[in-house]
Amino acid sequence: MSDIENKNVVSPIQGEGIRGDGQAKWYVVHTYSGHENKVKVNIEKMVENRGMQDLILDIVVPTEERVEMKDGKRKVKTRKIFPSYVIIKMIVTNETWYLVRNTQGVTGFVGHGSDPIPLTDEEVARMGIEKVYIDLDVEVGDIVRVISGPFENFTGEVLAISPEKQVLTVKVSMFGRDTPVELEFAQVDKL
């Protein structure tokens, strides 16, 4: 290979311009109101055109379906859970930061200026963007506190654990009786 062919052939994956630990993480990007889907499509096109699929892995506009009654009929409507935000799984390099930051409709990353802050695994799990495997250090008989969901702030004893399903059965006391409830790992903290 001549010097000309070898010159300036540095992949961002090899460390050039990588910020942080080089791991793909989820980041929140703020957009103009109503531009979430346009931003998603534009970034996807630029990623494909520039061959950056190994750096920007996924782009999500979190939505939920709501059933509404209109004129006596049930209508299913899709609404954005976080209006004006797009969530992107990416490895932050100078190039990926610049691409996202300069996409039409993007106002910036959530974080400090030019330093985006990644979502924690717990935040990703709670948002339902990606199923995150949680290694919960509990055993049958341990006491846990429920931190989210309809049983929030309840405490109970662990009756059974299913690591492959990421759920556990907890005995909680409500209305004067012990009731077993099935909870996801992300919904509890060990006491």
Side-chain angles (χ1 to χ4, degrees):
M1 196 184 265
S2 73
D3 286 342
I4 294 172
E5 291 170 325
N6 197 18
K7 195 180 250 181
N8 296 329
V9 182
V10 178
S11 166
I13 286 290
Q14 295 170 339
E16 183 70 22
I18 285 190
R19 303 170 178 205
D21 61 5
Q23 295 291 316
K25 294 186 175 129
W26 288 97
Y27 295 89
V28 179
V29 174
H30 190 262
T31 69
Y32 292 127
S33 180
H35 284 70
E36 302 88 352
N37 291 324
K38 289 178 196 170
V39 166
K40 177 182 189 304
V41 168
N42 286 341
I43 292 173
E44 287 171 342
K45 283 181 186 172
M46 286 190 290
V47 165
E48 188 175 330
N49 290 343
R50 296 179 186 194
M52 296 172 66
Q53 294 90 338
D54 54 345
L55 295 172
I56 298 179
L57 308 172
D58 200 2
I59 305 163
V60 177
V61 178
T63 58
E64 67 181 358
E65 290 188 350
R66 278 251 159 105
V67 177
E68 296 178 358
M69 295 297 285
K70 193 167 188 171
D71 299 328
K73 295 180 182 175
R74 292 170 53 114
K75 270 192 133 175
V76 177
K77 283 196 143 191
T78 302
R79 75 173 191 94
K80 293 176 182 83
I81 299 172
F82 306 110
S84 299
Y85 292 97
V86 174
I87 317 250
I88 302 177
K89 185 171 189 174
M90 62 187 274
I91 297 170
V92 178
T93 65
N94 291 336
E95 190 179 5
T96 59
W97 180 88
Y98 186 83
L99 180 142
V100 173
R101 182 65 187 85
N102 290 295
T103 299
Q104 186 175 357
V106 170
T107 61
F109 280 95
V110 172
H112 305 294
S114 65
D115 188 24
I117 299 174
L119 294 171
T120 64
D121 290 344
E122 291 79 21
E123 290 168 329
V124 172
R126 285 196 185 113
M127 292 169 80
I129 302 168
E130 177 179 71
K131 188 70 174 168
V132 175
Y133 181 81
I134 298 172
D135 186 18
L136 191 63
D137 183 27
V138 295
E139 296 177 9
V140 172
D142 286 350
I143 303 297
V144 294
R145 182 173 54 88
V146 182
I147 58 172
S148 68
F151 300 103
E152 187 172 355
N153 296 323
F154 278 77
T155 57
E157 180 184 346
V158 176
L159 299 176
I161 304 169
S162 177
E164 57 281 342
K165 290 184 182 176
Q166 294 276 287
V167 295
L168 44 90
T169 304
V170 177
K171 178 174 62 175
V172 295
S173 180
M174 57 183 171
F175 308 119
R177 30 171 90 144
D178 289 338
T179 306
V181 294
E182 195 171 86
L183 300 165
E184 294 180 6
F185 282 11
Q187 290 181 284
V188 298
D189 269 343
K190 183 179 178 180
L191 289 180

